[in-house]
């Protein structure tokens, strides 16, 4: 986990080495949860974040060297946990038994 001051750019990037699974259909999840329990998802088509837990992309896996999912300086102070996961059952539902994911927690402090 990391801590940043409010007003400092928070940049979240994701990457994926699909390995032997290149071309396999999957759900791609890019989610954020606040310390207050609110969930947000990244909508790939709109290139923006929205409330809720909805799949970001459904389709074949491919190598992703680096994708910037967030770059903001105006997030309210709280702790955010960002998740990037791949679920090998492409059904729009989080299937934890078939999910591989990683996460990072970021505490955003109030602006001084």
């Amino acid at each position: 986990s990391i801590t940043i001051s409010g007003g400092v750019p928070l940049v979240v990037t994701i990457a994926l080495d699909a390995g032997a699974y290149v071309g396999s259909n999957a759900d791609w999840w890019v989610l954020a949860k606040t310390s207050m329990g609110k969930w947000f998802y990244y909508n790939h088509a709109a290139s923006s974040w929205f409330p809720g837990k909805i799949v970001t992309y459904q389709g074949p896996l491919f190598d992703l060297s680096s994708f910037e999912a967030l770059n903001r300086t105006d997030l309210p102070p709280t702790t955010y946990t960002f998740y990037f996961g791949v679920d090998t059952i492409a059904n729009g539902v989080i299937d934890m038994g078939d999910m591989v994911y990683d996460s990072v927690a970021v505490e955003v402090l109030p602006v001084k």
Side-chain angles (χ1 to χ4, degrees), residues 7-89:
V8 171
L10 173 56
V11 180
V12 176
T13 58
I14 58 176
L16 175 69
D17 179 357
Y21 295 96
V22 167
S24 300
N25 283 331
D27 288 341
W28 300 52
W29 299 89
V30 181
L31 301 170
K33 183 179 181 184
T34 70
S35 57
M36 297 165 287
K38 293 185 179 185
W39 284 93
F40 295 86
Y41 71 98
Y42 183 78
N43 181 298
H44 180 45
S47 298
S48 191
W49 290 82
F50 297 95
K53 286 194 288 189
I54 297 177
V55 66
T56 296
Y57 168 80
Q58 287 180 301
L61 291 174
F62 54 88
D63 291 336
L64 183 63
S65 60
S66 181
F67 176 77
E68 188 175 281
L70 182 73
N71 186 343
R72 295 187 55 173
T73 59
D74 60 345
L75 291 174
T78 193
T79 299
Y80 300 86
T81 304
F82 294 93
Y83 298 89
F84 172 51
V86 172
D87 174 357
T88 57
I89 299 177

Side-chain angles (χ1 to χ4, degrees), residues 1-3 10 33 79-83 103-108:
S1 63
I2 61 172
T3 301
L10 173 56
K33 183 179 181 184
T79 299
Y80 300 86
T81 304
F82 294 93
Y83 298 89
S103 65
V104 63
V106 180
E107 180 183 10
V108 177

